[in-house]
Amino acid sequence: MVIVDLQHVTYRYPMTEQSALEDVSLHIEEGEFVAVIGPNGAGKSTLCYTVAGFIPHFFKGELEGTVEVAGVESRQASLEQRVRSVGLVFQNPFNQISGAKYTVFEEIAFGLENLGVSRAEMPARVEQVMALTGITDLAERSPYALSGGQQQRVALASILVMEPKVLVLDEPTSQLDPVGTREVFGVIRNMALRGMTVLMVEHKLEWVAAFADRVIALENGRILAEGTPAEVLTDERLLEHHFGFSRYTLAAREGRKEALWPPDRRLPVTLDEAETGFREGLRRP
Amino acid sequence: MNIEVEDLHFSYPGGVEALRGITLRIEGGELVAMVGQNGSGKTTLVKHFNGLLQPSRGCVRVGDWDTRTVSVARLASRVGYVFQNPDDQLFCKTVAEEVAFGPRNLGYAPEKVEQLVRRALAWTGLTGREGTNPYDLSPTWRKMVALAAVLSMDTPVVIFDEPTTGQDWQSVARMARVIAMLREEGKTVITITHDMDFCAENFTRVIALGGGQVLLDGPADEVLGEAEILAQTFVEPPQLVRLARRLGWKETPLTIPVFLDACRRSVRKEDGADGAERRFDT
Amino acid sequence: MRERLSFYIQRHSPIHRLNPFTKLTLAFALVLISFFSPWYWTALCLILLVIFPLAIIGRVGREFFAAALRLLVPVTGFIFLMQSLFLPGGETVLFRFWFLRVTLESVARAFLISMRIFGMVSSFILFLLTTHPSELMTDLTRRGLPGTVAYVIISTLQILPQMQAKAQTIIAAQRSRGLAVEGSFIRRVRALVPLVGPLVFGSLVEVEERAIAIEARAFSATGPKTSYREIDDTPFDRTVRWLMVALVVLSLAARFFG
């Protein structure tokens, strides 16, 4: 079942002349993990805001085309509907802390309060997402006194507790150190395994290759390439447009010129693929 | 210009001991990367290099200056420091003014300031945007302005805090070019980074910190090969090094040409006679 | 980063258990009574017989008296001195010194004013020490304070320490660019521009991001909201509040008709 459906979406922010998105069509199936890559300024965050309904409800400007999430056209959707269908987590963990609450537990419950969820229902739901994101121990801490990785997991839990159908992640680890990155990706992988539909913007191609069912390469507000990680992350057009490749892909691409990488094998996007290919390429009959 | 650190201890007010006895020497012209998880002491250590922090015990010398006896404003003529978030320092109405702020503070003559500004803008790809308001630029370009604003001070030592965070491929490449130019001019470059591939390709010496102490310090290819010790401070070796380990190699290739060389050697060895000497023993 | 972002001290005491609105009413009532009451010793009596005992019952005596000593005693002392010396009028001259003429009446007036100020500030210190800010806001929101107003108040309280940290980073960044922050007054004022600019711009960016973040959590949803924190409002609370209102009215009446 298609859960996110964008048809010919073009969007311009107020007081700008160039479109941030230009004729973008995107369909996401329920349970699919879609990654979005692209240089800065390509329109990745704009795409996130559009799917999450912040465009056109928070950012004004000109939106053309249709955006449908869980069967509801986003222009018609109320805030409650939007929040219950799409959860948005973005880069800076610190700015996602509401500032309204003094403990992690209450911070997570904040969304439930706003949705009018009964008080009796809250503890179980909050505890469940805390367990899911590995922050049970932090329940009574101040959300401000945490590391970046912990704060980002609080942000994730605060969104997950509202049980959205789609999770939109805008570079969720770009501000984190390796420990924090691993913690947050661990939670995301966990959610994906449980069948959550995810749209994730990410620069770290190795993680994209490991997680995504499908990759969308965005440039200048347009979709440049779309397909499986293996297809998109080795697409020559990405190099021409300065997206970059992972070192695995680049090394194999160079090695292929002198048959260090098997000429008939497609370029690798993960460590495992690179290992297998180079083992084969370096073995001489 | 040398930086000498002798038995450096530092505690934050409130008692957390962030540095626990660090001794090291950085020679003029070295390219040094500091790696380690947050809280390992990287930032605390480099903040001693330009006097923003003062040792609780031990001392830090930049050239012949002891950082305890020289003001930060004066040390700024020897050590440039690019902060992680460009928005923490940009305040001028135009890119050119912003970039001229540092060298003017150092008291350089107007002609020299102009020349330094022009050079810094050229290095960072900002030529032609002199009159732009930095806040009209994208965050990626604001980062370049912040970088240019320190490069224009023409200091013998330049420190970068997380230069690649949130940057795309193209601006990481631009950053790499800037580092290469600084190396050509014989400057000392010290970078804090979590990006191990960037670290491998651009730095010759790597210092891994953990728990306020130096865990590893040496040539990049030695340090980045020590996967077990790096894991203590939650650093994962660069992609090519991990691949080399998977292939069972002893080498630690840091760049694609080095990696391919190792591939060629491996193939020659296989071609060169007895199949008994298999490279892949597992 | 500091864990504690308000004056609130978590203890178990009868005062802590009071409804926050009751405590707020109590604080205001004490102030109003001490200002309205025609009886000269009201303020002093309230301080000694109400506020001090409440601080001890509330088990925040140590913190309360520390704050009083550090902040209140010097401030009220100063006010008392200035008022005694400079309040005009009065017959009974206690002593003269150079051009100053200190009368019994001016000392008496100064004492009254100082005690009122002491009472006012100390009753609010007591209030802040024993009331959790988010409980207060939750309760006030329930009583009809717009949610946005409550949010702005409470998030400002929380964000202030963060702003301070950011200001420190900006100062460090600009000093690293050779900005001298020490030295003459003019120099320091000039050094403000490079500090204030990034602080203001940074805050604007953060405000937008935070607005998105709280919208993503249905902050401006129009349906009825609930609250995880349950705040008791007992008959005792209501009695205390009405009693306070009555006392304020009484002291007003005493002033005008007494």
Side-chain angles (χ1 to χ4, degrees):
Chain A
M1 199 189 99
V2 174
I3 190 154
V4 176
D5 187 9
L6 269 63
Q7 304 262 13
H8 306 291
V9 170
T10 295
Y11 173 73
R12 224 169 47 211
Y13 282 101
M15 303 197 292
T16 57
E17 273 157 36
Q18 232 196 330
S19 302
L21 292 179
E22 181 81 49
D23 194 24
V24 170
S25 293
L26 166 69
H27 318 278
I28 302 177
E29 294 282 324
E30 214 169 348
E32 212 182 352
F33 197 122
V34 177
V36 180
I37 59 170
N40 292 340
K44 302 184 302 291
S45 295
T46 308
L47 182 64
C48 290
Y49 291 145
T50 307
V51 172
F54 282 87
I55 290 171
H57 290 276
F58 186 89
F59 296 99
K60 303 303 170 196
E62 252 172 80
L63 177 68
E64 291 163 38
T66 59
V67 180
E68 231 178 78
V69 181
V72 183
E73 219 296 319
S74 90
R75 268 173 274 233
Q76 265 83 55
S78 70
L79 178 61
E80 285 93 329
Q81 276 176 316
R82 282 182 276 132
V83 163
R84 286 181 194 273
S85 50
V86 185
L88 173 69
V89 174
F90 50 89
Q91 294 186 26
N92 188 330
F94 176 70
N95 286 345
Q96 293 176 81
I97 305 288
S98 71
K101 301 294 170 180
Y102 283 74
T103 67
V104 166
F105 190 101
E106 288 180 63
E107 176 70 22
I108 297 170
F110 182 59
L112 298 180
E113 294 180 334
N114 292 329
L115 288 175
V117 170
S118 81
R119 193 175 172 273
E121 212 181 305
M122 287 182 196
R125 283 177 72 169
V126 173
E127 274 157 28
Q128 193 200 342
V129 293
M130 285 199 301
L132 207 61
T133 49
I135 53 173
T136 307
D137 298 346
L138 308 176
E140 292 308 313
R141 299 270 297 276
S142 159
Y144 282 104
L146 306 176
S147 73
Q150 290 170 331
Q151 276 184 341
Q152 191 67 316
R153 282 180 294 155
V154 171
L156 261 166
S158 303
I159 289 299
L160 290 174
V161 77
M162 298 186 289
E163 295 170 355
K165 300 189 181 77
V166 181
L167 191 55
V168 174
L169 307 164
D170 189 358
E171 299 191 39
T173 67
S174 75
Q175 308 275 325
L176 306 180
D177 74 337
V179 191
T181 302
R182 210 168 309 168
E183 290 167 352
V184 168
F185 274 132
V187 174
I188 295 171
R189 161 162 282 166
N190 209 343
M191 294 313 299
L193 290 175
R194 290 164 152 261
M196 175 69 104
T197 311
V198 182
L199 177 73
M200 176 171 82
V201 171
E202 185 54 64
H203 278 303
K204 293 168 186 142
L205 299 182
E206 201 178 351
W207 291 97
V208 168
F211 280 141
D213 301 316
R214 192 147 55 98
V215 180
I216 289 169
L218 210 58
E219 216 228 357
N220 284 331
R222 291 171 179 276
I223 293 180
L224 179 72
E226 186 177 353
T228 63
E231 289 163 3
V232 175
L233 299 179
T234 59
D235 190 323
E236 285 291 320
R237 282 177 298 173
L238 262 61
L239 277 194
E240 289 157 25
H241 290 268
H242 309 289
F243 279 64
F245 278 170
S246 77
R247 268 66 174 184
Y248 307 134
T249 316
L250 283 173
R253 186 171 169 272
E254 286 302 304
R256 191 165 60 181
K257 292 174 186 162
E258 38 195 299
L260 298 169
W261 179 264
D264 48 344
R265 188 180 265 277
R266 73 163 171 74
L267 296 177
V269 293
T270 64
L271 177 57
D272 287 342
E273 289 174 3
E275 181 191 354
T276 321
F278 274 110
R279 272 181 192 278
E280 188 187 317
L282 301 182
R283 193 173 290 136
R284 286 294 181 264
Chain B
M1 186 165 295
N2 302 328
I3 295 179
E4 276 174 87
V5 179
E6 254 179 55
D7 189 34
L8 174 61
H9 288 254
F10 180 78
S11 302
Y12 281 100
V16 183
E17 196 175 20
L19 298 178
R20 300 187 295 155
I22 289 185
T23 300
L24 51 89
R25 186 183 160 86
I26 295 172
E27 303 291 334
E30 274 196 285
L31 305 177
V32 185
M34 304 263 180
V35 303
Q37 67 169 316
N38 284 356
S40 61
K42 304 177 306 264
T43 307
T44 309
L45 175 59
V46 299
K47 277 188 174 166
H48 280 84
F49 295 171
N50 75 335
L52 282 173
L53 294 176
Q54 296 289 333
S56 307
R57 210 167 86 209
C59 76
V60 176
R61 272 187 299 275
V62 179
D64 54 347
W65 289 352
D66 185 321
T67 59
R68 284 171 300 190
T69 60
V70 184
S71 73
V72 177
R74 193 145 166 251
L75 265 164
S77 65
R78 290 191 173 179
V79 183
Y81 192 133
V82 186
F83 275 61
Q84 186 178 347
N85 183 356
D87 297 347
D88 286 340
Q89 58 165 323
L90 304 181
F91 70 99
C92 294
K93 285 194 190 67
T94 68
V95 168
E97 276 177 60
E98 191 69 57
V99 178
F101 178 73
R104 272 191 201 133
N105 281 335
L106 297 181
Y108 293 143
E111 310 82 59
K112 188 172 180 192
V113 171
E114 199 187 319
Q115 177 211 331
L116 289 171
V117 168
R118 213 178 311 126
R119 190 191 64 154
L121 292 176
W123 281 15
T124 47
L126 282 164
T127 308
R129 307 207 198 191
E130 289 83 355
T132 313
N133 186 322
Y135 285 118
D136 289 337
L137 297 169
S138 70
T140 317
W141 282 104
R142 285 211 293 277
K143 190 129 180 165
M144 284 299 146
V145 177
L147 177 64
V150 171
L151 293 177
S152 62
M153 293 162 72
D154 196 28
T155 51
V157 180
V158 186
I159 297 173
F160 299 112
D161 191 349
E162 299 283 358
T164 60
T165 296
Q167 303 292 296
D168 57 17
W169 178 267
Q170 218 176 349
S171 56
V172 172
R174 202 177 295 121
M175 200 71 72
R177 280 200 299 278
V178 168
I179 290 169
M181 303 221 238
L182 289 170
R183 186 190 56 200
E184 256 171 52
E185 297 216 333
K187 311 275 194 197
T188 310
V189 181
I190 300 166
T191 298
I192 292 174
T193 186
H194 293 312
D195 183 341
M196 288 305 123
D197 299 309
F198 175 75
C199 171
E201 287 163 5
N202 296 289
F203 295 87
T204 50
R205 175 175 170 191
V206 175
I207 300 174
L209 292 167
Q213 286 174 317
V214 174
L215 298 179
L216 291 166
D217 179 1
D221 55 352
E222 278 175 28
V223 171
L224 294 175
E226 297 281 354
E228 289 80 25
I229 303 178
L230 289 178
Q232 287 173 22
T233 191
F234 296 92
V235 169
E236 199 174 38
Q239 291 178 353
L240 292 175
V241 175
R242 278 184 279 147
L243 179 55
R245 289 290 172 276
R246 283 281 194 96
L247 295 172
W249 298 358
K250 297 278 181 293
E251 297 99 319
T252 305
L254 298 183
T255 61
I256 288 173
V258 174
F259 178 84
L260 292 176
D261 274 343
C263 286
R264 288 181 203 113
R265 275 201 304 278
S266 154
V267 170
R268 270 201 297 277
K269 210 151 143 197
E270 295 253 327
D271 287 346
D274 55 339
E277 179 72 32
R278 285 308 234 204
R279 175 147 283 271
F280 311 118
D281 28 17
T282 47
Chain C
M1 211 169 280
R2 289 195 314 154
E3 282 265 356
R4 203 162 66 84
L5 300 166
S6 68
F7 294 101
Y8 175 69
I9 292 163
Q10 175 133 35
R11 298 266 159 80
H12 293 281
S13 85
I15 308 291
H16 283 76
R17 277 195 294 279
L18 281 180
N19 180 286
F21 188 56
T22 308
K23 283 181 267 191
L24 190 64
T25 315
L26 187 65
F28 273 108
L30 288 174
V31 175
L32 293 177
I33 295 167
S34 70
F35 274 84
F36 291 151
S37 163
W39 186 46
Y40 184 81
W41 300 104
T42 309
L44 182 64
C45 283
L46 286 179
I47 292 166
L48 293 178
L49 302 178
V50 181
I51 297 175
F52 284 3
L54 283 180
I56 291 160
I57 296 169
R59 302 183 60 194
V60 289
R62 201 159 50 91
E63 292 82 1
F64 175 84
F65 289 112
L69 270 179
R70 267 209 316 270
L71 175 78
L72 269 175
V73 170
V75 170
T76 35
F78 179 74
I79 292 171
F80 175 70
L81 208 71
M82 298 311 283
Q83 299 275 1
S84 317
L85 294 176
F86 296 112
L87 267 185
E91 306 289 302
T92 333
V93 176
L94 292 179
F95 62 87
R96 283 171 201 275
F97 175 72
W98 196 19
F99 68 95
L100 298 169
R101 172 173 163 277
V102 177
T103 65
L104 183 64
E105 287 82 355
S106 64
V107 170
R109 282 281 310 282
F111 182 73
L112 181 65
I113 293 169
S114 321
M115 280 306 108
R116 281 175 177 171
I117 288 170
F118 190 100
M120 177 168 79
V121 179
S122 63
S123 67
F124 278 100
I125 289 179
L126 179 60
F127 169 72
L128 291 173
L129 285 173
T130 56
T131 311
H132 196 296
S134 73
E135 280 188 355
L136 175 69
M137 288 306 147
T138 309
D139 195 57
L140 291 183
T141 313
R142 208 187 49 178
R143 291 174 199 278
L145 180 79
T148 330
V149 175
Y151 176 77
V152 167
I153 295 173
I154 201 132
S155 60
T156 308
L157 280 179
Q158 289 229 66
I159 286 156
L160 278 177
Q162 323 296 333
M163 288 274 281
Q164 216 178 340
K166 191 172 175 64
Q168 292 301 326
T169 311
I170 295 169
I171 292 172
Q174 305 299 36
R175 288 172 77 201
S176 305
R177 294 167 77 196
L179 179 73
V181 287
E182 305 91 358
S184 71
F185 178 72
I186 300 208
R187 203 169 187 175
R188 275 190 231 187
V189 171
R190 267 214 213 122
L192 275 177
V193 181
L195 305 183
V196 174
L199 195 62
V200 171
F201 181 80
S203 309
L204 291 179
V205 173
E206 276 165 29
V207 163
E208 184 181 277
E209 284 201 359
R210 195 163 277 118
I212 294 173
I214 62 170
E215 270 311 84
R217 291 158 73 190
F219 180 65
S220 55
T222 44
K225 297 191 180 190
T226 47
S227 169
Y228 172 70
R229 249 173 212 269
E230 201 167 50
I231 292 137
D232 289 337
D233 200 8
T234 61
F236 178 71
D237 277 300
R238 282 189 286 276
T239 317
V240 171
R241 289 201 297 269
W242 284 118
L243 186 69
M244 287 302 125
V245 174
L247 287 173
V248 170
V249 173
L250 262 177
S251 58
L252 250 181
R255 174 167 210 106
F256 290 110
F257 309 108

